[in-house]
Amino acid sequence: MVSYKELGLVNTKEMFAKAVKGGYAIPAFNFNTMEQMQAIVQAAVETKSPVIMQVSKGARNYANATIIRYMAQGAVEYAKELGCPNPQIVLHLDHGDTFELCKDCIDMGFSSVMIDGSSLPYEENIALAKKVVDYAHKYDVTVEAELGVLAGVEDEVSSAVSHYTKPEEVIDFSQRTGCDSLAISIGTSHGAYKFTPAQCTRDPKTGKLVPPPLAFDILHEIEKKLPGFPIVLHGSSSVPQDEVDTINKYGGKLPDAVGIPEEQLREASKSAVCKINIDSDSRLAMTAAIRKYLAENPSHFDPRQYLKPARENMKKMYIHKIVNVLGSNDKL
Ligand SMILES: [Zn+2]
């Protein structure tokens, strides 16, 4: 058993309380490579932002669970080396689907876990979340649970349709599970294809898809039921169209990729939403930079040559999100 405290990590309790009060949101960036980890830490240190570094089950399988733990510890030490004496870094499991997986992560140094029982019947979702909460709280690890179903595809998590969170269930759910934060469904979606063209309108000038707006009425109803309770938004990449265009220009094929407009995420950050998950945007930023670099430098084959601009591009994106969308800069 390794406690996250020994690794220099923190749980989400204090940072969420401050974020809800301060009207901003904490970035939750997914990572599974060293370059993503470095870019996240550099961005967080330069902007003086707390940050949640999260890994899905798929990412943990890809990178290896032991390596992920040491990368998180490395992230803390790297932040100190970059001049941040007391970094606020959370290592969080994204979409844990079983008690055993959550327990394994807690035992290996995660400071926060998500148990996603959102596809289960209501009572089973509660029972599973409560079981994880009971274990996690023994070790001061925070737990995110989910009510409502997001559409889209992300690693193993996929659903064809979305079901908005029912505001009338949130009090009962949060009280009976004891969860520390609640992921809700108000129209965000996983992946780089968040909406089908049929769900969108099309901008007549650019030909780009314009997605349907988030259900702010449901968010506000939930806030009224659970005043001050930390709310989480998944599937909140904005799928920057300049990155999509770069990918398509240099041999990629991502027609009609569309995300959540940043103005709407900015709006959500000012409410009880205090954690916003961003994964696809990092994938797009990395891929766009690599495609461009290799197309322009066909004779290069040293991975450092194309991973360096990829890392720079991700860092630029992370800083933009922190400063211009979530507002978590200067909050350390
Ligand atoms: Zn998610």
Side-chain angles (χ1 to χ4, degrees), residues 15-29 47-52 230-233 236 264-278 318 320-331:
M15 66 172 69
F16 281 176
K18 281 166 81 179
V20 171
K21 245 188 175 168
Y24 60 93
I26 310 291
F29 298 131
T47 57
K48 301 187 174 64
S49 172
V51 71
I52 296 169
I231 300 297
V232 178
L233 287 188
S236 295
Q264 294 191 29
L265 297 171
R266 203 172 296 132
E267 182 68 37
S269 302
K270 291 177 189 152
S271 69
V273 170
C274 63
K275 171 174 179 270
I276 292 190
N277 290 6
I278 295 167
Y318 293 136
H320 164 70
K321 296 287 180 186
I322 288 170
V323 175
N324 300 318
V325 184
L326 309 185
S328 63
N329 50 304
D330 300 311
K331 300 297 192 298

mmCIF file of all heavy atoms in Angstrom, residues 15-29 47-52 230-233 236 264-278 318 320-331:
data_model
loop_
_atom_site.group_PDB
_atom_site.id
_atom_site.type_symbol
_atom_site.label_atom_id
_atom_site.label_comp_id
_atom_site.label_asym_id
_atom_site.label_seq_id
_atom_site.Cartn_x
_atom_site.Cartn_y
_atom_site.Cartn_z
ATOM 1 N N MET A 15 -9.205 21.824 -3.016
ATOM 2 C CA MET A 15 -9.202 22.593 -4.276
ATOM 3 C C MET A 15 -10.616 22.771 -4.826
ATOM 4 O O MET A 15 -10.940 23.808 -5.393
ATOM 5 C CB MET A 15 -8.233 22.010 -5.309
ATOM 6 C CG MET A 15 -8.532 20.663 -5.868
ATOM 7 S SD MET A 15 -7.398 20.247 -7.255
ATOM 8 C CE MET A 15 -5.833 20.025 -6.439
ATOM 9 N N PHE A 16 -11.493 21.777 -4.615
ATOM 10 C CA PHE A 16 -12.876 21.926 -5.084
ATOM 11 C C PHE A 16 -13.627 22.976 -4.253
ATOM 12 O O PHE A 16 -14.377 23.780 -4.787
ATOM 13 C CB PHE A 16 -13.626 20.594 -5.015
ATOM 14 C CG PHE A 16 -13.323 19.656 -6.160
ATOM 15 C CD1 PHE A 16 -13.861 18.369 -6.191
ATOM 16 C CD2 PHE A 16 -12.506 20.056 -7.202
ATOM 17 C CE1 PHE A 16 -13.588 17.505 -7.253
ATOM 18 C CE2 PHE A 16 -12.225 19.193 -8.268
ATOM 19 C CZ PHE A 16 -12.768 17.915 -8.280
ATOM 20 N N ALA A 17 -13.401 22.939 -2.940
ATOM 21 C CA ALA A 17 -14.084 23.912 -2.080
ATOM 22 C C ALA A 17 -13.705 25.334 -2.500
ATOM 23 O O ALA A 17 -14.563 26.222 -2.610
ATOM 24 C CB ALA A 17 -13.702 23.664 -0.619
ATOM 25 N N LYS A 18 -12.418 25.533 -2.789
ATOM 26 C CA LYS A 18 -11.969 26.863 -3.209
ATOM 27 C C LYS A 18 -12.506 27.222 -4.596
ATOM 28 O O LYS A 18 -12.861 28.373 -4.865
ATOM 29 C CB LYS A 18 -10.433 26.914 -3.221
ATOM 30 C CG LYS A 18 -9.848 27.090 -1.817
ATOM 31 C CD LYS A 18 -8.365 26.802 -1.766
ATOM 32 C CE LYS A 18 -7.502 27.953 -2.243
ATOM 33 N NZ LYS A 18 -6.051 27.596 -2.137
ATOM 34 N N ALA A 19 -12.566 26.238 -5.476
ATOM 35 C CA ALA A 19 -13.029 26.495 -6.848
ATOM 36 C C ALA A 19 -14.512 26.865 -6.873
ATOM 37 O O ALA A 19 -14.931 27.764 -7.606
ATOM 38 C CB ALA A 19 -12.773 25.267 -7.722
ATOM 39 N N VAL A 20 -15.305 26.163 -6.068
ATOM 40 C CA VAL A 20 -16.741 26.463 -6.025
ATOM 41 C C VAL A 20 -16.952 27.885 -5.496
ATOM 42 O O VAL A 20 -17.698 28.678 -6.066
ATOM 43 C CB VAL A 20 -17.493 25.447 -5.133
ATOM 44 C CG1 VAL A 20 -18.931 25.885 -4.898
ATOM 45 C CG2 VAL A 20 -17.481 24.066 -5.781
ATOM 46 N N LYS A 21 -16.227 28.201 -4.439
ATOM 47 C CA LYS A 21 -16.324 29.547 -3.845
ATOM 48 C C LYS A 21 -15.840 30.627 -4.806
ATOM 49 O O LYS A 21 -16.437 31.701 -4.913
ATOM 50 C CB LYS A 21 -15.447 29.595 -2.582
ATOM 51 C CG LYS A 21 -16.230 29.792 -1.301
ATOM 52 C CD LYS A 21 -15.230 30.016 -0.186
ATOM 53 C CE LYS A 21 -15.918 30.341 1.117
ATOM 54 N NZ LYS A 21 -14.925 30.249 2.185
ATOM 55 N N GLY A 22 -14.744 30.315 -5.480
ATOM 56 C CA GLY A 22 -14.096 31.326 -6.320
ATOM 57 C C GLY A 22 -14.667 31.437 -7.729
ATOM 58 O O GLY A 22 -14.233 32.287 -8.500
ATOM 59 N N GLY A 23 -15.601 30.557 -8.092
ATOM 60 C CA GLY A 23 -16.200 30.650 -9.415
ATOM 61 C C GLY A 23 -15.264 30.298 -10.559
ATOM 62 O O GLY A 23 -15.259 30.923 -11.604
ATOM 63 N N TYR A 24 -14.452 29.272 -10.343
ATOM 64 C CA TYR A 24 -13.608 28.762 -11.434
ATOM 65 C C TYR A 24 -13.628 27.238 -11.394
ATOM 66 O O TYR A 24 -14.263 26.652 -10.505
ATOM 67 C CB TYR A 24 -12.180 29.309 -11.328
ATOM 68 C CG TYR A 24 -11.436 28.972 -10.056
ATOM 69 C CD1 TYR A 24 -10.614 27.860 -9.976
ATOM 70 C CD2 TYR A 24 -11.556 29.775 -8.912
ATOM 71 C CE1 TYR A 24 -9.929 27.555 -8.803
ATOM 72 C CE2 TYR A 24 -10.868 29.476 -7.744
ATOM 73 C CZ TYR A 24 -10.057 28.364 -7.692
ATOM 74 O OH TYR A 24 -9.380 28.055 -6.542
ATOM 75 N N ALA A 25 -12.977 26.597 -12.357
ATOM 76 C CA ALA A 25 -12.957 25.130 -12.392
ATOM 77 C C ALA A 25 -11.522 24.634 -12.482
ATOM 78 O O ALA A 25 -10.653 25.307 -13.034
ATOM 79 C CB ALA A 25 -13.766 24.625 -13.567
ATOM 80 N N ILE A 26 -11.284 23.452 -11.923
ATOM 81 C CA ILE A 26 -9.956 22.825 -11.965
ATOM 82 C C ILE A 26 -9.853 22.009 -13.257
ATOM 83 O O ILE A 26 -10.766 21.238 -13.576
ATOM 84 C CB ILE A 26 -9.765 21.859 -10.771
ATOM 85 C CG1 ILE A 26 -10.125 22.524 -9.436
ATOM 86 C CG2 ILE A 26 -8.351 21.293 -10.747
ATOM 87 C CD1 ILE A 26 -9.202 23.600 -8.970
ATOM 88 N N PRO A 27 -8.747 22.159 -13.985
ATOM 89 C CA PRO A 27 -8.595 21.347 -15.186
ATOM 90 C C PRO A 27 -8.279 19.898 -14.835
ATOM 91 O O PRO A 27 -7.461 19.640 -13.953
ATOM 92 C CB PRO A 27 -7.402 21.993 -15.902
ATOM 93 C CG PRO A 27 -6.606 22.648 -14.825
ATOM 94 C CD PRO A 27 -7.590 23.059 -13.760
ATOM 95 N N ALA A 28 -8.946 18.974 -15.513
ATOM 96 C CA ALA A 28 -8.626 17.549 -15.373
ATOM 97 C C ALA A 28 -8.172 17.073 -16.740
ATOM 98 O O ALA A 28 -8.976 16.883 -17.648
ATOM 99 C CB ALA A 28 -9.842 16.766 -14.888
ATOM 100 N N PHE A 29 -6.840 16.965 -16.876
ATOM 101 C CA PHE A 29 -6.262 16.569 -18.159
ATOM 102 C C PHE A 29 -5.873 15.092 -18.107
ATOM 103 O O PHE A 29 -5.196 14.657 -17.173
ATOM 104 C CB PHE A 29 -5.008 17.411 -18.446
ATOM 105 C CG PHE A 29 -5.265 18.897 -18.574
ATOM 106 C CD1 PHE A 29 -4.488 19.811 -17.873
ATOM 107 C CD2 PHE A 29 -6.273 19.389 -19.410
ATOM 108 C CE1 PHE A 29 -4.695 21.185 -18.000
ATOM 109 C CE2 PHE A 29 -6.490 20.759 -19.545
ATOM 110 C CZ PHE A 29 -5.704 21.659 -18.837
ATOM 111 N N THR A 47 1.261 28.801 -14.902
ATOM 112 C CA THR A 47 0.033 29.569 -14.648
ATOM 113 C C THR A 47 -0.335 29.564 -13.163
ATOM 114 O O THR A 47 -1.357 30.130 -12.782
ATOM 115 C CB THR A 47 -1.148 28.963 -15.437
ATOM 116 O OG1 THR A 47 -1.292 27.591 -15.061
ATOM 117 C CG2 THR A 47 -0.928 29.069 -16.932
ATOM 118 N N LYS A 48 0.471 28.878 -12.344
ATOM 119 C CA LYS A 48 0.178 28.747 -10.903
ATOM 120 C C LYS A 48 -1.223 28.197 -10.684
ATOM 121 O O LYS A 48 -2.045 28.761 -9.946
ATOM 122 C CB LYS A 48 0.347 30.083 -10.185
ATOM 123 C CG LYS A 48 1.749 30.667 -10.304
ATOM 124 C CD LYS A 48 1.897 31.905 -9.428
ATOM 125 C CE LYS A 48 3.325 32.427 -9.398
ATOM 126 N NZ LYS A 48 3.802 32.898 -10.723
ATOM 127 N N SER A 49 -1.494 27.072 -11.343
ATOM 128 C CA SER A 49 -2.828 26.464 -11.266
ATOM 129 C C SER A 49 -2.754 25.109 -10.578
ATOM 130 O O SER A 49 -1.806 24.348 -10.804
ATOM 131 C CB SER A 49 -3.386 26.260 -12.683
ATOM 132 O OG SER A 49 -4.591 25.521 -12.638
ATOM 133 N N PRO A 50 -3.758 24.790 -9.747
ATOM 134 C CA PRO A 50 -3.881 23.389 -9.315
ATOM 135 C C PRO A 50 -4.273 22.559 -10.537
ATOM 136 O O PRO A 50 -4.834 23.100 -11.491
ATOM 137 C CB PRO A 50 -5.027 23.430 -8.297
ATOM 138 C CG PRO A 50 -5.725 24.736 -8.489
ATOM 139 C CD PRO A 50 -4.833 25.649 -9.260
ATOM 140 N N VAL A 51 -3.979 21.268 -10.503
ATOM 141 C CA VAL A 51 -4.302 20.456 -11.690
ATOM 142 C C VAL A 51 -4.620 19.020 -11.290
ATOM 143 O O VAL A 51 -4.074 18.496 -10.320
ATOM 144 C CB VAL A 51 -3.135 20.506 -12.713
ATOM 145 C CG1 VAL A 51 -1.916 19.723 -12.235
ATOM 146 C CG2 VAL A 51 -3.577 19.997 -14.084
ATOM 147 N N ILE A 52 -5.557 18.434 -12.025
ATOM 148 C CA ILE A 52 -5.880 17.018 -11.856
ATOM 149 C C ILE A 52 -5.309 16.279 -13.056
ATOM 150 O O ILE A 52 -5.637 16.592 -14.198
ATOM 151 C CB ILE A 52 -7.403 16.809 -11.765
ATOM 152 C CG1 ILE A 52 -7.948 17.507 -10.519
ATOM 153 C CG2 ILE A 52 -7.739 15.308 -11.757
ATOM 154 C CD1 ILE A 52 -9.462 17.591 -10.452
ATOM 155 N N PRO A 230 -19.533 20.069 -5.291
ATOM 156 C CA PRO A 230 -18.724 20.076 -6.509
ATOM 157 C C PRO A 230 -19.331 19.244 -7.650
ATOM 158 O O PRO A 230 -19.589 18.051 -7.490
ATOM 159 C CB PRO A 230 -17.399 19.458 -6.052
ATOM 160 C CG PRO A 230 -17.374 19.604 -4.578
ATOM 161 C CD PRO A 230 -18.804 19.507 -4.145
ATOM 162 N N ILE A 231 -19.513 19.884 -8.772
ATOM 163 C CA ILE A 231 -20.072 19.242 -9.964
ATOM 164 C C ILE A 231 -18.970 19.089 -11.014
ATOM 165 O O ILE A 231 -18.119 19.966 -11.166
ATOM 166 C CB ILE A 231 -21.230 20.101 -10.536
ATOM 167 C CG1 ILE A 231 -22.347 20.269 -9.497
ATOM 168 C CG2 ILE A 231 -21.759 19.524 -11.843
ATOM 169 C CD1 ILE A 231 -23.040 18.994 -9.082
ATOM 170 N N VAL A 232 -19.015 17.967 -11.747
ATOM 171 C CA VAL A 232 -17.972 17.646 -12.721
ATOM 172 C C VAL A 232 -18.579 17.520 -14.116
ATOM 173 O O VAL A 232 -19.644 16.926 -14.280
ATOM 174 C CB VAL A 232 -17.296 16.303 -12.339
ATOM 175 C CG1 VAL A 232 -16.245 15.916 -13.377
ATOM 176 C CG2 VAL A 232 -16.691 16.381 -10.942
ATOM 177 N N LEU A 233 -17.872 18.069 -15.094
ATOM 178 C CA LEU A 233 -18.285 17.887 -16.486
ATOM 179 C C LEU A 233 -17.276 17.019 -17.220
ATOM 180 O O LEU A 233 -16.101 17.368 -17.312
ATOM 181 C CB LEU A 233 -18.402 19.232 -17.216
ATOM 182 C CG LEU A 233 -19.567 20.151 -16.881
ATOM 183 C CD1 LEU A 233 -19.588 21.322 -17.860
ATOM 184 C CD2 LEU A 233 -20.902 19.412 -16.900
ATOM 185 N N SER A 236 -15.601 17.382 -22.213
ATOM 186 C CA SER A 236 -15.652 18.828 -22.392
ATOM 187 C C SER A 236 -14.495 19.385 -23.202
ATOM 188 O O SER A 236 -14.067 20.512 -22.996
ATOM 189 C CB SER A 236 -15.707 19.508 -21.023
ATOM 190 O OG SER A 236 -16.912 19.173 -20.378
ATOM 191 N N GLN A 264 -19.256 28.270 -23.568
ATOM 192 C CA GLN A 264 -20.178 27.546 -22.698
ATOM 193 C C GLN A 264 -19.451 26.915 -21.513
ATOM 194 O O GLN A 264 -19.991 26.829 -20.409
ATOM 195 C CB GLN A 264 -20.924 26.471 -23.496
ATOM 196 C CG GLN A 264 -21.824 27.095 -24.535
ATOM 197 C CD GLN A 264 -22.777 26.096 -25.161
ATOM 198 O OE1 GLN A 264 -23.172 25.113 -24.540
ATOM 199 N NE2 GLN A 264 -23.149 26.359 -26.390
ATOM 200 N N LEU A 265 -18.219 26.493 -21.752
ATOM 201 C CA LEU A 265 -17.429 25.914 -20.660
ATOM 202 C C LEU A 265 -17.018 27.003 -19.674
ATOM 203 O O LEU A 265 -16.974 26.791 -18.464
ATOM 204 C CB LEU A 265 -16.194 25.204 -21.221
ATOM 205 C CG LEU A 265 -16.518 24.009 -22.121
ATOM 206 C CD1 LEU A 265 -15.260 23.497 -22.803
ATOM 207 C CD2 LEU A 265 -17.179 22.887 -21.322
ATOM 208 N N ARG A 266 -16.740 28.195 -20.213
ATOM 209 C CA ARG A 266 -16.385 29.332 -19.370
ATOM 210 C C ARG A 266 -17.557 29.672 -18.459
ATOM 211 O O ARG A 266 -17.419 29.904 -17.265
ATOM 212 C CB ARG A 266 -16.032 30.530 -20.259
ATOM 213 C CG ARG A 266 -15.153 31.550 -19.608
ATOM 214 C CD ARG A 266 -14.710 32.597 -20.622
ATOM 215 N NE ARG A 266 -13.877 32.042 -21.672
ATOM 216 C CZ ARG A 266 -14.043 32.267 -22.982
ATOM 217 N NH1 ARG A 266 -15.024 33.020 -23.404
ATOM 218 N NH2 ARG A 266 -13.227 31.730 -23.851
ATOM 219 N N GLU A 267 -18.739 29.664 -19.049
ATOM 220 C CA GLU A 267 -19.966 29.930 -18.308
ATOM 221 C C GLU A 267 -20.154 28.879 -17.195
ATOM 222 O O GLU A 267 -20.430 29.207 -16.046
ATOM 223 C CB GLU A 267 -21.138 29.864 -19.309
ATOM 224 C CG GLU A 267 -22.508 30.165 -18.756
ATOM 225 C CD GLU A 267 -22.655 31.610 -18.359
ATOM 226 O OE1 GLU A 267 -22.100 32.469 -19.072
ATOM 227 O OE2 GLU A 267 -23.302 31.873 -17.321
ATOM 228 N N ALA A 268 -19.958 27.606 -17.560
ATOM 229 C CA ALA A 268 -20.136 26.515 -16.592
ATOM 230 C C ALA A 268 -19.120 26.618 -15.451
ATOM 231 O O ALA A 268 -19.441 26.330 -14.295
ATOM 232 C CB ALA A 268 -20.012 25.164 -17.293
ATOM 233 N N SER A 269 -17.904 27.056 -15.778
ATOM 234 C CA SER A 269 -16.846 27.162 -14.757
ATOM 235 C C SER A 269 -17.221 28.126 -13.643
ATOM 236 O O SER A 269 -16.762 27.995 -12.511
ATOM 237 C CB SER A 269 -15.536 27.666 -15.366
ATOM 238 O OG SER A 269 -15.114 26.816 -16.379
ATOM 239 N N LYS A 270 -18.032 29.110 -13.970
ATOM 240 C CA LYS A 270 -18.404 30.124 -12.972
ATOM 241 C C LYS A 270 -19.448 29.598 -11.995
ATOM 242 O O LYS A 270 -19.748 30.229 -10.992
ATOM 243 C CB LYS A 270 -18.944 31.372 -13.683
ATOM 244 C CG LYS A 270 -17.866 32.113 -14.442
ATOM 245 C CD LYS A 270 -18.434 33.301 -15.201
ATOM 246 C CE LYS A 270 -17.380 33.887 -16.127
ATOM 247 N NZ LYS A 270 -17.971 34.536 -17.307
ATOM 248 N N SER A 271 -20.033 28.442 -12.296
ATOM 249 C CA SER A 271 -21.087 27.877 -11.453
ATOM 250 C C SER A 271 -20.481 26.830 -10.517
ATOM 251 O O SER A 271 -19.299 26.867 -10.215
ATOM 252 C CB SER A 271 -22.131 27.214 -12.346
ATOM 253 O OG SER A 271 -21.557 26.056 -12.931
ATOM 254 N N ALA A 272 -21.308 25.888 -10.067
ATOM 255 C CA ALA A 272 -20.824 24.826 -9.183
ATOM 256 C C ALA A 272 -19.950 23.817 -9.918
ATOM 257 O O ALA A 272 -19.399 22.909 -9.302
ATOM 258 C CB ALA A 272 -22.005 24.105 -8.547
ATOM 259 N N VAL A 273 -19.812 23.967 -11.220
ATOM 260 C CA VAL A 273 -18.911 23.079 -11.958
ATOM 261 C C VAL A 273 -17.484 23.421 -11.546
ATOM 262 O O VAL A 273 -17.027 24.545 -11.731
ATOM 263 C CB VAL A 273 -19.080 23.239 -13.484
ATOM 264 C CG1 VAL A 273 -17.969 22.505 -14.223
ATOM 265 C CG2 VAL A 273 -20.447 22.719 -13.923
ATOM 266 N N CYS A 274 -16.795 22.446 -10.926
ATOM 267 C CA CYS A 274 -15.456 22.775 -10.444
ATOM 268 C C CYS A 274 -14.404 21.819 -10.977
ATOM 269 O O CYS A 274 -13.243 21.913 -10.607
ATOM 270 C CB CYS A 274 -15.434 22.824 -8.932
ATOM 271 S SG CYS A 274 -15.798 21.262 -8.249
ATOM 272 N N LYS A 275 -14.798 20.919 -11.888
ATOM 273 C CA LYS A 275 -13.807 20.064 -12.562
ATOM 274 C C LYS A 275 -14.287 19.868 -13.988
ATOM 275 O O LYS A 275 -15.439 19.470 -14.208
ATOM 276 C CB LYS A 275 -13.696 18.709 -11.851
ATOM 277 C CG LYS A 275 -12.853 17.649 -12.571
ATOM 278 C CD LYS A 275 -12.700 16.390 -11.700
ATOM 279 C CE LYS A 275 -11.898 15.281 -12.347
ATOM 280 N NZ LYS A 275 -12.690 14.326 -13.129
ATOM 281 N N ILE A 276 -13.414 20.158 -14.931
ATOM 282 C CA ILE A 276 -13.770 19.995 -16.342
ATOM 283 C C ILE A 276 -12.743 19.081 -16.995
ATOM 284 O O ILE A 276 -11.539 19.338 -16.925
ATOM 285 C CB ILE A 276 -13.862 21.373 -17.048
ATOM 286 C CG1 ILE A 276 -15.078 22.132 -16.481
ATOM 287 C CG2 ILE A 276 -13.955 21.216 -18.552
ATOM 288 C CD1 ILE A 276 -15.446 23.401 -17.224
ATOM 289 N N ASN A 277 -13.237 17.999 -17.584
ATOM 290 C CA ASN A 277 -12.360 16.982 -18.165
ATOM 291 C C ASN A 277 -12.030 17.290 -19.614
ATOM 292 O O ASN A 277 -12.933 17.506 -20.430
ATOM 293 C CB ASN A 277 -13.059 15.614 -18.127
ATOM 294 C CG ASN A 277 -13.185 15.069 -16.727
ATOM 295 O OD1 ASN A 277 -12.866 15.732 -15.752
ATOM 296 N ND2 ASN A 277 -13.652 13.832 -16.632
ATOM 297 N N ILE A 278 -10.735 17.269 -19.904
ATOM 298 C CA ILE A 278 -10.288 17.548 -21.270
ATOM 299 C C ILE A 278 -9.282 16.477 -21.682
ATOM 300 O O ILE A 278 -8.219 16.352 -21.064
ATOM 301 C CB ILE A 278 -9.672 18.960 -21.352
ATOM 302 C CG1 ILE A 278 -10.770 19.999 -21.075
ATOM 303 C CG2 ILE A 278 -9.034 19.197 -22.722
ATOM 304 C CD1 ILE A 278 -10.263 21.389 -20.823
ATOM 305 N N TYR A 318 -3.016 23.651 -23.026
ATOM 306 C CA TYR A 318 -3.327 23.555 -21.587
ATOM 307 C C TYR A 318 -3.354 24.948 -20.956
ATOM 308 O O TYR A 318 -4.243 25.264 -20.165
ATOM 309 C CB TYR A 318 -2.283 22.700 -20.862
ATOM 310 C CG TYR A 318 -2.264 21.226 -21.234
ATOM 311 C CD1 TYR A 318 -1.059 20.556 -21.453
ATOM 312 C CD2 TYR A 318 -3.446 20.500 -21.354
ATOM 313 C CE1 TYR A 318 -1.032 19.208 -21.780
ATOM 314 C CE2 TYR A 318 -3.420 19.144 -21.683
ATOM 315 C CZ TYR A 318 -2.216 18.508 -21.897
ATOM 316 O OH TYR A 318 -2.189 17.178 -22.212
ATOM 317 N N HIS A 320 -3.909 27.790 -22.433
ATOM 318 C CA HIS A 320 -5.112 28.486 -22.932
ATOM 319 C C HIS A 320 -6.354 28.069 -22.140
ATOM 320 O O HIS A 320 -7.156 28.903 -21.724
ATOM 321 C CB HIS A 320 -5.289 28.177 -24.420
ATOM 322 C CG HIS A 320 -6.640 28.503 -24.945
ATOM 323 N ND1 HIS A 320 -7.090 29.810 -25.094
ATOM 324 C CD2 HIS A 320 -7.678 27.717 -25.325
ATOM 325 C CE1 HIS A 320 -8.328 29.797 -25.543
ATOM 326 N NE2 HIS A 320 -8.713 28.541 -25.694
ATOM 327 N N LYS A 321 -6.492 26.789 -21.907
ATOM 328 C CA LYS A 321 -7.673 26.300 -21.155
ATOM 329 C C LYS A 321 -7.675 26.864 -19.732
ATOM 330 O O LYS A 321 -8.701 27.325 -19.239
ATOM 331 C CB LYS A 321 -7.667 24.773 -21.070
ATOM 332 C CG LYS A 321 -7.793 24.061 -22.389
ATOM 333 C CD LYS A 321 -9.196 24.144 -22.950
ATOM 334 C CE LYS A 321 -9.263 23.410 -24.290
ATOM 335 N NZ LYS A 321 -10.560 23.577 -24.963
ATOM 336 N N ILE A 322 -6.520 26.784 -19.079
ATOM 337 C CA ILE A 322 -6.423 27.232 -17.677
ATOM 338 C C ILE A 322 -6.761 28.716 -17.563
ATOM 339 O O ILE A 322 -7.566 29.122 -16.728
ATOM 340 C CB ILE A 322 -4.994 26.942 -17.130
ATOM 341 C CG1 ILE A 322 -4.808 25.435 -16.924
ATOM 342 C CG2 ILE A 322 -4.733 27.706 -15.834
ATOM 343 C CD1 ILE A 322 -3.374 25.002 -16.626
ATOM 344 N N VAL A 323 -6.166 29.507 -18.439
ATOM 345 C CA VAL A 323 -6.293 30.966 -18.303
ATOM 346 C C VAL A 323 -7.601 31.487 -18.917
ATOM 347 O O VAL A 323 -8.287 32.316 -18.316
ATOM 348 C CB VAL A 323 -5.074 31.668 -18.967
ATOM 349 C CG1 VAL A 323 -5.240 33.183 -18.955
ATOM 350 C CG2 VAL A 323 -3.791 31.252 -18.253
ATOM 351 N N ASN A 324 -7.934 31.007 -20.100
ATOM 352 C CA ASN A 324 -9.051 31.620 -20.834
ATOM 353 C C ASN A 324 -10.385 30.899 -20.703
ATOM 354 O O ASN A 324 -11.416 31.430 -21.098
ATOM 355 C CB ASN A 324 -8.701 31.732 -22.322
ATOM 356 C CG ASN A 324 -7.467 32.574 -22.547
ATOM 357 O OD1 ASN A 324 -7.296 33.612 -21.918
ATOM 358 N ND2 ASN A 324 -6.579 32.107 -23.405
ATOM 359 N N VAL A 325 -10.359 29.670 -20.218
ATOM 360 C CA VAL A 325 -11.628 28.920 -20.150
ATOM 361 C C VAL A 325 -12.009 28.599 -18.703
ATOM 362 O O VAL A 325 -13.115 28.887 -18.263
ATOM 363 C CB VAL A 325 -11.567 27.630 -20.996
ATOM 364 C CG1 VAL A 325 -12.913 26.927 -20.977
ATOM 365 C CG2 VAL A 325 -11.141 27.952 -22.440
ATOM 366 N N LEU A 326 -11.080 27.996 -17.932
ATOM 367 C CA LEU A 326 -11.437 27.534 -16.595
ATOM 368 C C LEU A 326 -11.196 28.582 -15.509
ATOM 369 O O LEU A 326 -11.862 28.584 -14.479
ATOM 370 C CB LEU A 326 -10.643 26.263 -16.248
ATOM 371 C CG LEU A 326 -10.698 25.147 -17.280
ATOM 372 C CD1 LEU A 326 -9.971 23.926 -16.760
ATOM 373 C CD2 LEU A 326 -12.117 24.774 -17.615
ATOM 374 N N GLY A 327 -10.216 29.451 -15.725
ATOM 375 C CA GLY A 327 -9.926 30.505 -14.747
ATOM 376 C C GLY A 327 -9.219 30.006 -13.499
ATOM 377 O O GLY A 327 -9.336 30.605 -12.433
ATOM 378 N N SER A 328 -8.458 28.910 -13.620
ATOM 379 C CA SER A 328 -7.802 28.350 -12.425
ATOM 380 C C SER A 328 -6.388 28.886 -12.238
ATOM 381 O O SER A 328 -5.668 28.438 -11.341
ATOM 382 C CB SER A 328 -7.761 26.823 -12.512
ATOM 383 O OG SER A 328 -6.982 26.420 -13.633
ATOM 384 N N ASN A 329 -5.963 29.834 -13.067
ATOM 385 C CA ASN A 329 -4.619 30.404 -12.934
ATOM 386 C C ASN A 329 -4.535 31.258 -11.664
ATOM 387 O O ASN A 329 -5.520 31.833 -11.216
ATOM 388 C CB ASN A 329 -4.268 31.238 -14.176
ATOM 389 C CG ASN A 329 -5.335 32.233 -14.540
ATOM 390 O OD1 ASN A 329 -6.493 31.848 -14.738
ATOM 391 N ND2 ASN A 329 -5.005 33.498 -14.596
ATOM 392 N N ASP A 330 -3.317 31.321 -11.126
ATOM 393 C CA ASP A 330 -3.034 32.095 -9.901
ATOM 394 C C ASP A 330 -3.908 31.670 -8.719
ATOM 395 O O ASP A 330 -4.315 32.494 -7.912
ATOM 396 C CB ASP A 330 -3.219 33.600 -10.160
ATOM 397 C CG ASP A 330 -2.279 34.098 -11.261
ATOM 398 O OD1 ASP A 330 -1.080 33.784 -11.166
ATOM 399 O OD2 ASP A 330 -2.755 34.749 -12.206
ATOM 400 N N LYS A 331 -4.206 30.386 -8.629
ATOM 401 C CA LYS A 331 -5.064 29.909 -7.524
ATOM 402 C C LYS A 331 -4.298 28.957 -6.587
ATOM 403 O O LYS A 331 -4.898 28.304 -5.763
ATOM 404 C CB LYS A 331 -6.301 29.191 -8.090
ATOM 405 C CG LYS A 331 -7.193 30.062 -8.979
ATOM 406 C CD LYS A 331 -7.785 31.219 -8.175
ATOM 407 C CE LYS A 331 -8.905 31.955 -8.910
ATOM 408 N NZ LYS A 331 -8.487 32.592 -10.173
#
